[in-house]
Amino acid sequence: MSYPYQITSKEAYQQAYKKSVEDPEGFWSAIAENFQWKKKWDKVLEWRFKGDGAPVVKWFRGGKLNITENCLDRHLNTLGNKPAIIWEPNDPEEHYRVLTYKQLHQKVCTFANVLKNNGVKKGDRVCIYMGMVPELAIAVLACARLGAIHSVIFGGFSAQSIADRIQDGNAECVITCDGAFRGNKTVPLKAVVDDALVQCPGVKRVIVLTRTRTPVSMIKGRDVWWEDEIKKVETMGNPDCPAEEMDAEDPLYILYTSGSTGKPKGVVHTIAGYMIYCTYTFVNVFNYQPGEVYFCTADLGWVTGHSYVVYGPLAAGATSMMFEGIPTYPDAGRFWDIVDKHKVNILYTAPTAIRSLMAHGLDFVKDKDLSSLRVLGSVGEPINVEAWQWYYDYVGKKRCPIVDTWWQTETGGIMITAIATVTEPIPAYATLPLPGIQPAVMDEHGHEITDMETSGNLCMKFPWPGMLRTTWGDHERCFKTYFSAYPGYYFSGDGCLRDKNGNYRITGRVDDVLNVSGHRIGTAEVENAINMHVNVVESAVVGYPHDIKGQGIYAFVITEGNHDNNDDLTKKDILETVSRIIGPIAKPDKIQFVKGLPKTRSGKIMRRILRKIAEGEMHNVGDITTLLNPDIVEDIKKGKV
Ligand code: PRX
C-alpha cells in the first residue's frame, strides 16, 4: 500500500499546511480519494460552531461506505497473507498469535454473523467489556461491519460504571470475557458484568469469550458462549458477511470520557471523517512504511486503542501489535522483550509507562536488542523532560525521533505533534499542528491571541474530520462543554504556551479534570463517589504532582463523628467505595480528614487553595480573606498527608 498523502519533507509539511488552511475541502477530499467508497460524497464539509443546534459538523455528506471494507477487504488482494494483528499475551510463556488480513477478515465476518444471529442490527448499541485479546478487535470490527455502534468500556471500570454506560446508550447486547489476565492477577470480567446487569433489564444478550477459565454464572436465555456461537455460524456454511452500507456521518462508536461536571459523557465519532483522520495521522505522524511492525501499548478501552491499535493502522494496511499485559510483568523488561522478539519498528506509549520503567532502573533495558526501533511516540499527558530524555537515550539509543502527540478522546486523532523524520521534536513540546488543524490560543477575556509567542487556553477554530459530532443523547451538553466558552471555537480544556516559532507546549487541564497515569478522571466524579460512603459528609478532590502517575488524586474529606481511632479503616472503606462506584483507577492516592473545607461566602469550595496545599505549596496558598472560614486553612495545612 502506498500513501500519496504522506508528508516526507519540511517543505511538503509547509505546503500541505498552507493548502489545508486556504482550501480545506480540496485538501481533505484529495486524501479521502484514497479510501474505498460505495458512493462518493456530495459535499466535503458543512459546519457551524455557534447558533441554533450547534455544533453542526458534517464531513463527506452523502458518501456511503463501510469502515471494515477499508480496514480489511481492500487489503485482501495485496496484503492478504501479511500480519494485520500480532498479539502478545500477558504471560510470555504462552504462544503469541498472528492474524493475517485474510484471517482477520474471516473472523470479523464470522463474528458479525454471530452478532446478527443474536439480534444485533444496524444502529444498535453494543457494549464491549473485554481484556486485550484479539477477539476484542474482532468484536469492535464486527460491530462496524453491521453498522452497530460499539461502546467499549475499559476493564478497570466498575459494575456501576458499566451500568451507567449501558443505560445511557440503551445497549441490548454486551460482549465480555470470563476474565482477563493482568500481570499476576486475573480480573473476573463476567462477574462484574453480571453485577452491572442487575440494573440493566434492557440487555437481552451477553456473549462470553473464554480466556481465563474463571468460573462464571451463565444465565439461561441471556448468556451465550462466544465459541458455541462461532461454531453455529461455521456449521451453517459460508461465514461471509457483506458489509452494511453506511452513511459517512452515521455513528461508528461511543466512548465515554470524564469532564468537569456530572457523569462521563458519550463522545460520538462518525464513520468517514474519523476513519480518514486516524489513517492520515497514523501514516504521517509515525512515518509508517509498508511492512513495518507498529506497537501501540494502549488498551482498547481508551481512544488511543480505538484510533491507533485498530482503525488507523488497519485502514493503512499496517501490522499492529496488540499487548494483553502490563509493562512490569513478569518484569520491567517486558516491552523491550516484545520489541526484540517481534522486531518492532515504531513504539507508541504513555509517559506514565516510561516513568514507571525508569524507576526500575537501567538493568531491564540496557542489554536488550532494540535496534529495530525507528520511531518513538508518546501520548496521554505532558511528557516531562527527564522521561523524554530517558526514552530518547535508552530506548531510542539517540537514533529515534520522539513524537509527543497531543490529542483527546474528542479529537478522534492526533492534532499537535512532530512528524517523525520530517519536523523537529522538542522535549516537552507537542510542537506543531498537523496540516488540517487550526489551533487558537485564547486570553482570559475570550479573545484569540494573535501574537505568536503567548500562553492561554487551547481552542480550535476550524473543524477537522476526526472531531466529535455530539455527546450521545445530549447534544446540548456537547455544545455547552466544548463550544460555549469561546463562541465559534472548539475548546479543548487544556492550557498551552506557544513559542515564537509556533511550537505548542501543553501545560495541562485548566478545568477540574485530572490526568492520572494518562487516565482522564473528573474530580466531581470522584467526590460524588466518596460522598456515597455513609460516614462522609463532604469532600473535595484535587490533583497533585506524582512521580509515576503524572498526577495523583488527593481527597480532603469531612466525616461524621470522631474517627481518630479508626482513620485507617475509614480510608480503606472510602477507597473501596470509589472502586465500587467508578473503578480502581479512580482511587485517591491520599486521603486527609478535615473538619471543614475552605469556602467562599456563596458556599463554593476554593479548590485553588486545596490544590496549593496538596502540591505542598504551604506558604503560597493565595488570598484567603474572602473565605467564609479562613481559619480552616491553617488547620488543613497542619494535617497534610
Ligand atoms: O490534557 C490533555 C492530555 O490528555 C487529555 C485527553 O485525554 P483523553 O481524552 O483521555 O485522551 C488521551 C489520549 C489522546 C488532554 O486534554 N494529553 C493527551 N496527550 C497529551 C496530553 N497532554 C500533553 N501532551 C500530550 N501529548
Side-chain angles (χ1 to χ4, degrees):
M1 203 166 168
S2 72
Y3 312 110
Y5 48 89
Q6 194 167 47
I7 297 163
T8 50
S9 69
K10 230 168 250 169
E11 298 67 47
Y13 164 76
Q14 275 149 3
Q15 270 167 19
Y17 195 84
K18 188 159 178 278
K19 163 96 178 160
S20 78
V21 174
E22 288 170 357
D23 175 20
E25 297 198 25
F27 176 79
W28 288 111
S29 64
I31 295 171
E33 292 289 348
N34 296 283
F35 291 80
Q36 188 170 315
W37 298 83
K38 288 178 188 284
K39 174 184 168 288
K40 285 271 168 73
W41 56 92
D42 306 317
K43 182 149 182 27
V44 179
L45 172 64
E46 202 178 297
W47 72 289
R48 202 170 63 239
F49 278 1
K50 54 182 177 184
D52 267 2
V56 174
V57 177
K58 292 188 177 141
W59 282 95
F60 309 106
R61 201 191 64 197
K64 304 281 181 194
L65 76 167
N66 187 292
I67 195 168
T68 67
E69 285 189 334
N70 283 276
C71 289
L72 301 169
D73 303 60
R74 70 168 166 154
H75 304 316
L76 293 179
N77 280 338
T78 46
L79 302 170
N81 296 320
K82 292 272 185 305
I85 292 178
I86 303 177
W87 174 75
E88 186 61 37
N90 179 62
D91 182 349
E93 300 291 310
E94 185 181 342
H95 208 277
Y96 66 92
R97 282 169 65 187
V98 177
L99 292 176
T100 63
Y101 272 95
K102 228 181 242 167
Q103 290 165 332
L104 182 61
H105 174 261
Q106 185 248 308
K107 285 185 186 293
V108 168
C109 287
T110 308
F111 191 67
N113 283 326
V114 166
L115 290 175
K116 245 193 228 170
N117 287 348
N118 283 282
V120 175
K121 23 176 226 317
K122 179 174 175 169
D124 288 354
R125 273 77 57 206
V126 175
C127 174
I128 306 179
Y129 185 69
M130 297 172 82
M132 278 290 282
V133 285
E135 285 78 6
L136 169 52
I138 291 167
V140 159
L141 291 163
C143 288
R145 187 94 181 157
L146 299 181
I149 302 165
H150 56 78
S151 164
V152 182
I153 303 175
F154 176 62
F157 281 116
S158 68
Q160 184 61 49
S161 297
I162 299 173
D164 290 345
R165 285 155 173 77
I166 290 176
Q167 287 165 356
D168 188 70
N170 282 322
E172 293 187 2
C173 177
V174 177
I175 309 171
T176 189
C177 303
D178 50 358
F181 293 122
R182 226 186 117 66
N184 55 13
K185 288 199 210 114
T186 305
V187 188
L189 297 180
K190 171 62 164 64
V192 180
V193 167
D194 286 337
D195 286 347
L197 295 192
V198 173
Q199 298 180 51
C200 307
V203 171
K204 304 286 185 303
R205 185 65 80 232
V206 181
I207 303 174
V208 187
L209 176 85
T210 310
R211 170 68 185 128
T212 54
R213 305 243 160 223
T214 307
V216 295
S217 107
M218 295 291 283
I219 304 296
K220 202 178 287 168
R222 189 193 72 183
D223 302 352
V224 294
W225 289 107
W226 174 296
E227 296 79 6
D228 292 348
E229 296 302 297
I230 295 279
K231 255 184 228 138
K232 275 188 214 161
V233 169
E234 282 171 352
T235 48
M236 273 167 15
N238 181 9
D240 192 27
C241 176
E244 189 74 32
E245 180 171 297
M246 303 300 291
D247 196 87
E249 280 294 334
D250 279 335
L252 173 64
Y253 68 79
I254 308 172
L255 188 57
Y256 287 83
T257 191
S258 296
S260 45
T261 55
K263 292 208 162 168
K265 47 197 171 301
V267 166
V268 175
H269 284 293
T270 57
I271 298 170
Y274 173 80
M275 168 186 81
I276 288 162
Y277 196 67
C278 5
T279 317
Y280 156 80
T281 51
F282 168 74
V283 161
N284 279 303
V285 174
F286 302 108
N287 182 247
Y288 185 80
Q289 303 299 318
E292 285 190 320
V293 178
Y294 156 87
F295 178 17
C296 167
T297 66
D299 191 286
L300 248 62
W302 307 107
V303 73
T304 309
H306 285 65
S307 301
Y308 298 112
V309 176
V310 177
Y311 288 116
L314 295 182
T319 295
S320 182
M321 287 277 323
M322 201 174 160
F323 175 45
E324 186 187 39
I326 56 172
T328 49
Y329 178 82
D331 64 36
R334 186 68 168 117
F335 277 0
W336 323 131
D337 290 335
I338 295 176
V339 167
D340 182 8
K341 179 167 166 188
H342 298 286
K343 301 292 165 231
V344 170
N345 306 107
I346 302 168
L347 176 69
Y348 190 31
T349 192
T352 185
I354 298 165
R355 286 192 299 263
S356 102
L357 297 178
M358 260 172 88
H360 283 83
L362 285 177
D363 282 354
F364 293 98
V365 64
K366 68 175 195 302
D367 298 326
K368 301 287 158 80
D369 181 359
L370 304 179
S371 56
S372 57
L373 285 175
R374 191 174 66 80
V375 173
L376 302 174
S378 168
V379 59
E381 55 178 308
I383 178 164
N384 49 310
V385 173
E386 202 190 353
W388 194 99
Q389 205 62 49
W390 191 89
Y391 199 24
Y392 186 75
D393 290 349
Y394 299 109
V395 180
K397 314 282 183 203
K398 305 187 183 188
R399 296 182 290 106
C400 307
I402 298 179
V403 292
D404 176 2
T405 62
W406 176 82
W407 60 295
Q408 312 177 289
T409 305
E410 294 85 345
T411 70
I414 299 166
M415 304 283 281
I416 301 181
T417 180
I419 299 178
T421 76
V422 173
T423 63
E424 213 56 50
I426 308 171
Y429 277 75
T431 75
L432 299 170
L434 286 171
I437 299 309
Q438 299 187 36
V441 182
M442 314 304 279
D443 66 19
E444 67 269 31
H445 309 296
H447 300 121
E448 183 178 345
I449 309 170
T450 47
D451 294 343
M452 190 56 95
E453 199 170 357
T454 188
S455 66
N457 287 349
L458 179 60
C459 285
M460 296 295 148
K461 56 183 167 189
F462 197 84
W464 63 101
M467 72 185 291
L468 87 165
R469 301 297 194 266
T470 188
T471 47
W472 184 260
D474 193 351
H475 193 62
E476 183 62 20
R477 190 170 177 200
C478 175
F479 177 75
K480 283 210 181 104
T481 313
Y482 306 106
F483 297 88
S484 67
Y486 303 102
Y489 294 78
Y490 164 84
F491 175 41
S492 67
D494 279 329
C496 70
L497 305 175
R498 185 168 58 202
D499 75 6
K500 61 180 190 311
N501 300 316
N503 290 298
Y504 289 81
R505 175 179 186 154
I506 310 300
T507 48
R509 302 289 305 193
V510 294
D511 52 7
D512 290 318
V513 171
L514 305 181
N515 194 327
V516 181
S517 300
H519 301 155
R520 191 161 146 185
I521 297 171
T523 52
E525 245 182 290
V526 183
E527 288 165 7
N528 290 340
I530 294 174
N531 296 349
M532 301 279 275
H533 188 280
V534 280
N535 288 340
V536 172
V537 179
E538 199 179 7
S539 64
V541 164
V542 296
Y544 71 97
H546 187 289
D547 284 350
I548 306 285
K549 298 178 172 186
Q551 262 187 318
I553 304 180
Y554 196 122
F556 298 89
V557 181
I558 307 175
T559 53
E560 250 170 20
N562 186 348
H563 286 280
D564 284 349
N565 298 328
N566 55 10
D567 272 2
D568 277 351
L569 205 57
T570 310
K571 278 185 188 173
K572 280 187 190 143
D573 289 349
I574 289 174
L575 295 179
E576 180 59 23
T577 311
V578 175
S579 267
R580 282 268 161 195
I581 305 295
I582 307 176
I585 54 168
K587 282 201 284 198
D589 299 275
K590 291 185 179 181
I591 296 177
Q592 179 182 348
F593 293 117
V594 293
K595 293 206 183 73
L597 294 166
K599 287 195 178 167
T600 60
R601 295 209 169 88
S602 59
K604 233 182 105 208
I605 298 173
M606 286 290 272
R607 285 161 200 288
R608 174 174 54 77
I609 295 173
L610 294 174
R611 223 174 278 132
K612 288 282 183 196
I613 296 175
E615 285 167 3
E617 290 206 31
M618 300 295 199
H619 304 295
N620 181 24
V621 296
D623 183 17
I624 60 168
T625 55
T626 56
L627 291 183
L628 188 65
N629 51 350
D631 296 346
I632 202 72
V633 175
E634 272 315 305
D635 223 50
I636 299 177
K637 278 189 195 168
K638 276 193 208 123
K640 182 178 181 310
V641 289

